[in-house]
């Protein structure tokens, strides 16, 4: 479907079907089994769990059945017509490109390290299980966004989930901004690692790691200036392609290089274990588990992506395409590189296990993603602020000095904070674990378990029910998902913090704002 075409299928030309009728006959009208999993025109949108916000009522909409989700979406599309900057322009293919660019990322190269602590068999099982859970919770999120198309980011969604309380909005907003800024910081850190790796024999004057981090920060700020996801998706397609090339090259090089980098006769040949070693500590095992989870869990950006789709019903197509690619890529890359580097020589990221030439060649193909993915999260954060400051303003949709100046300024603030984070937590695996435990606990698990129960309650009020067995199994699954989130938040956070303390005590990393090279 072309981006400029009206939404088609069984709808009248140029008009999204009014799905309020689906609620009125909800006892008999539900999405087809296929549509509820894969999206499309067979999707029947359920009732809202929250009343319309005041700013929508001011636009002439009300809570009656005529102002359904489709009516809100139609109004959004109509309001952008003829504007210089339009936001709801993404097809499912462009959204898939955004998902690929988010998930097919540098964190893939932490999988061999994770498998070395978890063992190959548990590591591969966890890879598939976590992917399945994230797929399910992402579909729950998608259904929630269909019912509330005014949602632009996870902060709107968080407030709705927790009964419209202001504390829920502020709490979600703080976690949302911190999560995105931590990810930006991770990419500043890795960008500096890349520059140090490529110039490890050069005599760089001054504080080289801090200087390189500043350079990466400036480049990323400039690259994050495009204001629509439609434009970013084009950049994301290229970034995902180069990442794929990078990890495939690294996998091939691990197999053909012979003995891994750092080989020592005293350590012996690489040792590959199917199950965890007895020497693996709780902190190491949990950090490995959190690293895998972090790579899969990305629901925090999905409401923002769905909010810029012309037909949000098509989102599951993007989701399935990305999930299948993830499972195959993560499992193959993680298992093969681990098989050739073993417990003794594996590094995080795994480029560090390759000999010099192989490491530099494969790492170089990761540069577009190092820049782009941080930009994607910076853009999501900037939207969160920008859309609230300029709601219903011409600066939102037109090219104005105030609009572009504010957009650039918001982005600059996020990148300055990201630079600081990259210098305070200057090591890859521990930074991944911290982000996973503190933020993915909420945005990967707890939120979507709560969303399921809120939507289930709204459905039952209008007679939309499932078979008792399916209903009980779904409730049990979502209780487990919520409890898993709290496990991440408590036990996971403890393990992450302890891992950072252990790394400092062991002298494995430099200090805060260290000038020492952090090259691989």
């Amino acid at each position: 479907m072309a981006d400029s075409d009206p939404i088609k299928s069984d709808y009248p030309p140029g008009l999204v079907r009014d799905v309020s009728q689906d609620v009125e006959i909800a006892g008999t009208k539900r999405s087809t089994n296929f549509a509820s999993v894969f999206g499309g025109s067979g999707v029947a949108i359920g009732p809202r769990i929250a009343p319309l916000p005041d700013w929508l009522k001011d636009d002439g909409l009300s809570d009656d059945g005529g102002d359904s989700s489709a009516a809100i979406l139609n109004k959004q599309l109509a309001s952008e017509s003829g504007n210089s900057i339009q936001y709801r322009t993404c097809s499912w293919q462009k959204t898939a490109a955004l998902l690929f660019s988010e998930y097919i990322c540098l964190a893939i190269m932490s999988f061999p390290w994770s498998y070395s602590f978890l063992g190959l068999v548990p590591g591969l099982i966890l890879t598939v299980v976590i992917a399945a859970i994230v797929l399910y919770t992402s579909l729950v999120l998608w259904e929630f966004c269909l019912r509330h198309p005014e949602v632009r980011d996870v902060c709107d969604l968080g407030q709705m989930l927790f009964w419209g309380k202001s504390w829920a909005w502020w709490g979600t907003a703080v976690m949302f901004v911190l999560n995105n800024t931590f990810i930006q910081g991770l990419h500043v850190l890795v960008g500096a690692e890349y520059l140090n790796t490529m110039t490890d024999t050069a005599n760089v004057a001054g504080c080289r790691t801090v200087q390189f981090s500043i350079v990466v920060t400036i480049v990323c700020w400039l690259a994050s200036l495009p204001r629509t996801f439609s434009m970013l998706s084009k950049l994301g397609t290229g970034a995902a392609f180069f990442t794929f090339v990078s990890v495939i090259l690294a996998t091939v090089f691990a197999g053909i290089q012979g003995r891994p980098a750092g080989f020592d006769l005293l350590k012996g040949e690489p040792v590959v274990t199917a199950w965890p070693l007895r020497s693996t500590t709780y902190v190491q095992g949990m950090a490995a588990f959190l690293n895998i989870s972090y790579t899969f869990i990305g629901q925090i950006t999905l409401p923002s992506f769905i909010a810029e789709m012309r037909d949000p019903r098509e989102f599951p197509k993007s989701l399935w395409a990305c999930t299948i690619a993830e499972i195959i890529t993560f499992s193959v890359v993680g298992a093969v590189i681990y098989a050739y580097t073993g417990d003794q020589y594996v590094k995080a990221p795994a480029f560090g296990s390759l000999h010099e030439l192989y490491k530099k060649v494969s790492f170089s193909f990761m540069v577009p993603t190092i820049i782009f993915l941080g930009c994607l999260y910076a853009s999501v954060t900037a939207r969160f602020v920008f859309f609230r400051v300029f709601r219903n303003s011409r600066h939102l949709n037109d090219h104005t000095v105030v609009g572009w100046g504010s957009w650039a300024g918001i982005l600059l603030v996020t990148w300055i904070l990201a630079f600081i984070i990259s210098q305070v937590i200057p090591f890859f695996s521990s930074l991944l674990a911290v982000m996973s435990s503190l933020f993915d606990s909420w945005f990967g698990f707890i939120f979507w378990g709560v969303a399921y129960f809120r939507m289930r309650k709204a459905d039952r009020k209008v007679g939309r029910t499932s078979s008792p067995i399916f209903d009980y199994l779904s409730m049990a699954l979502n209780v487990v998902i919520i409890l898993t989130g709290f496990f991440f938040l408590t036990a996971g956070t403890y393990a992450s913090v302890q891992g950072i303390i252990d790394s400092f005590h062991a002298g494995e990393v430099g200090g805060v704002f260290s000038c020492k090279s952090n090259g691989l």
Side-chain angles (χ1 to χ4, degrees):
M1 180 178 67
D3 293 344
S4 59
D5 290 344
I7 296 179
K8 298 177 181 178
S9 72
D10 56 339
Y11 296 170
L15 179 68
V16 181
R17 178 184 48 155
D18 187 343
V19 295
S20 62
Q21 296 177 8
D22 292 338
V23 178
E24 294 169 3
I25 58 172
T28 57
K29 179 68 173 179
R30 294 186 64 85
S31 301
T32 65
N33 291 334
F34 183 88
S36 63
V37 177
F38 297 103
S41 60
V43 173
I45 302 173
R48 299 175 61 90
I49 71 163
L52 286 171
D54 291 338
W55 62 271
L56 271 178
K57 293 178 181 178
D58 292 341
D59 285 343
L61 297 175
S62 64
D63 288 323
D64 61 33
D67 290 317
S68 62
S69 298
I72 298 171
L73 179 56
N74 274 334
K75 189 175 183 65
Q76 291 175 344
L77 292 170
S79 68
E80 292 188 353
S81 179
N83 288 332
S84 302
I85 303 174
Q86 298 181 13
Y87 294 95
R88 273 204 181 270
T89 56
C90 280
S91 61
W92 74 263
Q93 293 92 339
K94 286 187 175 181
T95 304
L98 288 170
L99 291 178
F100 277 115
S101 65
E102 179 184 6
Y103 288 111
I104 308 299
C105 63
L106 179 66
I108 298 172
M109 299 306 286
S110 71
F111 273 63
W113 179 86
S114 294
Y115 290 172
S116 71
F117 287 110
L118 296 172
L120 189 56
V121 173
L124 290 172
I125 291 173
L126 281 173
T127 299
V128 176
V129 169
I130 294 171
I133 293 174
V134 171
L135 174 64
Y136 170 77
T137 54
S138 297
L139 290 172
V140 171
L141 182 160
W142 163 68
E143 182 181 349
F144 190 96
C145 290
L146 287 182
R147 300 182 187 213
H148 310 87
E150 73 276 13
V151 167
R152 289 214 60 92
D153 51 54
V154 77
C155 302
D156 290 337
L157 193 151
Q159 186 172 17
M160 285 185 181
L161 285 180
F162 297 98
W163 300 275
K165 302 297 183 181
S166 59
W167 59 262
W169 187 90
W170 283 105
T172 306
V174 170
M175 291 190 294
F176 175 72
V177 172
L178 284 176
N179 177 83
N180 293 353
T181 309
F182 264 72
I183 292 175
Q184 292 173 243
L186 174 66
H187 285 261
V188 172
L189 168 66
V190 176
E193 283 185 351
Y194 171 76
L195 293 176
N196 271 313
T197 300
M198 301 303 289
T199 61
D200 57 351
T201 59
N203 184 17
V204 179
C207 190
R208 60 185 295 153
T209 297
V210 175
Q211 291 172 176
F212 285 152
S213 297
I214 293 173
V215 170
V216 174
T217 300
I218 294 173
V219 170
C220 288
W221 171 62
L222 293 173
S224 60
L225 289 175
R227 278 169 59 177
T228 67
F229 282 139
S230 180
M231 176 61 70
L232 286 176
S233 70
K234 298 174 183 177
L235 301 176
T237 301
F241 170 77
F242 282 108
T243 300
F244 185 74
V245 172
S246 174
V247 298
I248 293 301
L249 284 176
T251 305
V252 172
F253 291 157
I256 68 174
Q257 70 177 351
R259 290 170 171 173
F263 177 81
D264 188 335
L265 287 174
L266 295 178
K267 293 181 181 180
E269 296 291 333
V271 175
V272 179
T273 56
W275 304 98
L277 295 172
R278 290 186 178 181
S279 59
T280 300
T281 66
Y282 167 77
V283 171
Q284 291 171 331
M286 179 59 71
F289 173 55
L290 291 172
N291 269 229
I292 293 176
S293 300
Y294 164 79
T295 312
F296 279 105
I297 294 172
Q299 293 97 316
I300 192 170
T301 62
L302 300 192
S304 300
F305 294 168
I306 295 171
E308 295 204 14
M309 291 188 71
R310 186 166 182 82
D311 188 355
R313 298 170 305 164
E314 302 290 343
F315 175 72
K317 296 178 182 178
S318 310
L319 189 63
W320 274 99
C322 187
T323 301
I324 293 170
E326 285 178 282
I327 293 174
I328 295 172
T329 305
F330 297 175
S331 300
V332 171
V333 171
V336 172
I337 293 181
Y338 172 50
Y340 284 104
T341 56
D343 295 325
Q344 313 100 301
Y345 308 107
V346 69
K347 304 291 183 181
F351 296 115
S353 301
L354 302 176
H355 290 302
E356 198 70 16
L357 177 61
Y358 294 149
K359 173 175 61 180
K360 290 182 177 181
V361 170
S362 56
F363 201 4
S364 293
F365 279 93
M366 191 65 72
V367 171
T369 291
I370 292 174
I371 296 172
F372 173 79
L373 190 52
C375 295
L376 180 63
Y377 279 89
S379 183
V380 170
T381 302
R383 275 168 169 70
F384 166 66
V385 178
F386 191 76
F387 274 87
R388 281 161 179 78
V389 173
F390 295 108
R391 178 178 287 153
N392 297 326
S393 164
R394 70 186 185 90
H395 304 298
L396 188 66
N397 295 102
D398 292 328
H399 296 291
T400 65
V401 174
V402 172
W404 276 105
S406 300
W407 177 258
I410 294 167
L411 286 169
L412 181 60
V413 171
T414 68
W415 281 113
I416 291 173
L417 293 174
F419 165 76
I420 294 172
I421 290 171
S422 73
Q423 303 306 302
V424 173
I425 311 179
F427 30 104
F428 184 76
S429 59
S430 293
L431 187 51
L432 288 181
V434 168
M435 290 189 293
S436 186
S437 58
L438 285 178
F439 307 123
D440 290 348
S441 55
W442 295 97
F443 299 129
F445 298 97
I446 298 173
F447 268 30
W448 320 125
V450 174
Y452 165 81
F453 284 107
R454 293 297 310 277
M455 289 191 294
R456 176 181 178 274
K457 183 177 180 180
D459 285 343
R460 292 174 72 86
K461 282 184 178 180
V462 297
R464 289 165 57 105
T465 57
S466 304
S467 66
I469 294 178
F470 182 79
D471 189 44
Y472 285 129
L473 289 175
S474 297
M475 286 194 294
L477 173 61
N478 283 276
V479 168
V480 171
I481 287 172
I482 292 173
L483 293 177
T484 301
F486 281 111
F487 176 76
F488 266 59
L489 186 61
T490 54
T493 300
Y494 162 76
S496 301
V497 174
Q498 188 61 48
I500 292 174
I501 295 172
D502 292 345
S503 295
F504 273 117
H505 285 170
E508 296 175 358
V509 294
V512 175
F513 286 92
S514 172
C515 296
K516 180 182 177 182
S517 172
N518 64 349
L520 299 179

